[in-house]
Amino acid sequence: MAWALKLPLADEVIESGLVQDFDASLSGIGQELGAGAYSMSDVLALPIFKQEESNLPPESDNKILPFQYVLCAATSPAVKLHDETLTYLNQGQSYEIRMLDNRKMGELPEINGKMVKSIIRVVFHDRRLQYTEHQQLEGWRWNRPGDRILDLDIPMSVGVVDPRANPTQLNTVEFLWDPSKRTSVFIQVHCISTEFTMRKHGGEKGVPFRIQIDTFKENEAGEYTEHLHSASCQVKVFKPKGADRKQKTDREKMEKRAPQEKEKYQPSYETTILTECSPWPEITYVNNSPSPGFNSSHNSFPVIEGNGSPTLQPEPVVQLADLSCHLLTRDSESNQNLLPTATPQEAQQWLHRNRFSPFCRLFSNFSGADLLKLTREDVIQICGPADGIRLFNALKGRVVRPRLTIYVCQESQQTREQHQKHENGDGSSNAFFVYHAIYLEELTAVELTEKLAQLFSISPRQISQIFKQGPTGIHVLVSDEMIQNFQDEMCFVLDTMKAETNDGYHIILK
């Protein structure tokens, strides 16, 4: 009974203690939320927020990026305020990307007067597709043999130097450009977003892509591996004119919304500004080595300025000589015979270089030896008559015989003395003359001038006239008709004479 009487007293004591503790807790809340006592930075310093922030690129409100890329295509109005912009593109249409130099005075002085390299990629926006990107692109290559996902529209582009598109990387293009000059690159995206959807029953939403640009500067070894800036934007690609219809549909939907609802969405901007992002991780091939089928010399490609036409300013002779060497190198690479030891990948590159891209899928597992074993009938049956004959001739290394071949030797003092001894019948002199073959197809004086300029590594403008030494030593002006009457495999000794009116030279064929 005494125990029962003590129970209410114990409960009362416990209850009063809990009430006091709860009151003390409530009184402390007001003090913590008082002015100056609460700081949001303390909350953001918690470990959970630190972990999320580590995955984001560092940003600063006062940070000015060295470059800015602007895609000349309107953003969608159906995007909420704090979401990333979305831009609709038409398949195969050329879109301009303006490459802007946004540096402050004195920032990155090491690239002043130098080129930088930019690599443009079309990649997946969804993380799920990023993990299987290689398989997705290989499937697209199989369904669209010979096509590319991303292309550069070179004639439309301005300030683009040394453009490259590796045949094995369908979604990537790269080029050099000078930040101090106006540069605009026009791109074409040939895949549509619905080609990568899981289920294709019609009416499904297409997957979004990302257009990413990574820019690099040249290191001490001459390789473009030092990262400067990266930016990207989100796009969706539709069939031709589909992007215009989608943009119109989004605009009409937004017009029907209430004013309070419209405030939750971004306005549509005429251009899309690419936002800063992390560099693309797979940059092992970003170097100065030439891509298959492309030459790595910077001087070999003209810088396009202004209205997109090549500049017509006089160029040094050295650059013209480099251009001639590039043309010869490019021709030799494209006409290089396929070797039996070529791997299937090298055979694919050879097919691309020789304009047989539509048949790359058919010969995807063929090595060089496999292709060379094909008979003329086999190739015609696989590729058709026109392309089959062309491929068979390319495989067998058959070249078209030139219309006219002449041999020339540059005259020197030693050569002149040996010629005189040889004409005087002095058989004791072991005359040894080195001649160069010149192959003519058009049989014109202009063509002969260009071939001789390549031989001397000079500009064709430095050759004023070409003469042929006639009877009694007279100089006959070489015309188209004279060249057409040349006998095949004629031999000439070349002598030069200073022109009277300009800094050029006359060439005499003896």
Side-chain angles (χ1 to χ4, degrees), residues 117 162 164-166 169 174 176 218-219 221-225 283-298 333:
K117 172 184 280 188
D162 195 5
R164 302 183 188 181
N166 195 318
Q169 296 161 357
E174 61 183 60
L176 303 179
E218 197 173 13
N219 60 13
E223 300 176 348
Y224 291 90
T225 55
I283 59 174
T284 55
Y285 64 92
V286 179
N287 52 42
N288 203 31
S289 60
S291 302
F294 294 86
N295 192 282
S296 61
S297 176
H298 303 170
E333 288 180 353

Side-chain angles (χ1 to χ4, degrees), residues 271-406:
T271 58
T272 304
I273 298 179
L274 279 66
T275 57
E276 187 184 19
C277 65
S278 301
W280 191 252
E282 298 180 3
I283 59 174
T284 55
Y285 64 92
V286 179
N287 52 42
N288 203 31
S289 60
S291 302
F294 294 86
N295 192 282
S296 61
S297 176
H298 303 170
N299 296 331
S300 303
F301 293 83
V303 180
I304 301 176
E305 300 177 352
N307 58 359
S309 302
T311 56
L312 297 179
Q313 299 176 355
E315 298 178 354
V317 175
V318 178
Q319 291 186 359
L320 288 170
D322 292 343
L323 177 60
S324 302
C325 294
H326 160 68
L327 294 174
L328 294 174
T329 304
R330 184 183 64 183
D331 292 341
S332 63
E333 288 180 353
S334 61
N335 296 329
Q336 185 179 6
N337 294 336
L338 181 66
L339 299 178
T341 56
T343 63
Q345 184 178 4
E346 293 171 343
Q348 291 286 305
Q349 295 174 0
W350 182 88
L351 290 171
H352 276 287
R353 287 198 302 268
N354 290 272
R355 297 176 287 111
F356 295 108
S357 300
F359 308 105
C360 287
R361 182 177 65 86
L362 296 173
F363 300 115
S364 58
N365 296 322
F366 279 61
S367 64
D370 296 332
L371 287 172
L372 291 171
K373 289 177 182 178
L374 295 174
T375 63
R376 186 173 184 270
E377 290 73 18
D378 293 336
V379 179
I380 292 177
Q381 184 177 1
I382 294 172
C383 304
D387 290 320
I389 294 174
R390 189 168 67 89
L391 176 57
F392 180 77
N393 290 336
L395 288 172
K396 301 306 177 182
R398 295 183 178 181
V399 295
V400 180
R401 181 178 176 85
R403 295 179 62 186
L404 177 66
T405 302
I406 62 175

Side-chain angles (χ1 to χ4, degrees), residues 3 111 116 124 236 338 354-355:
W3 176 258
I111 66 173
V116 295
F124 292 112
K236 278 190 176 182
L338 181 66
N354 290 272
R355 297 176 287 111

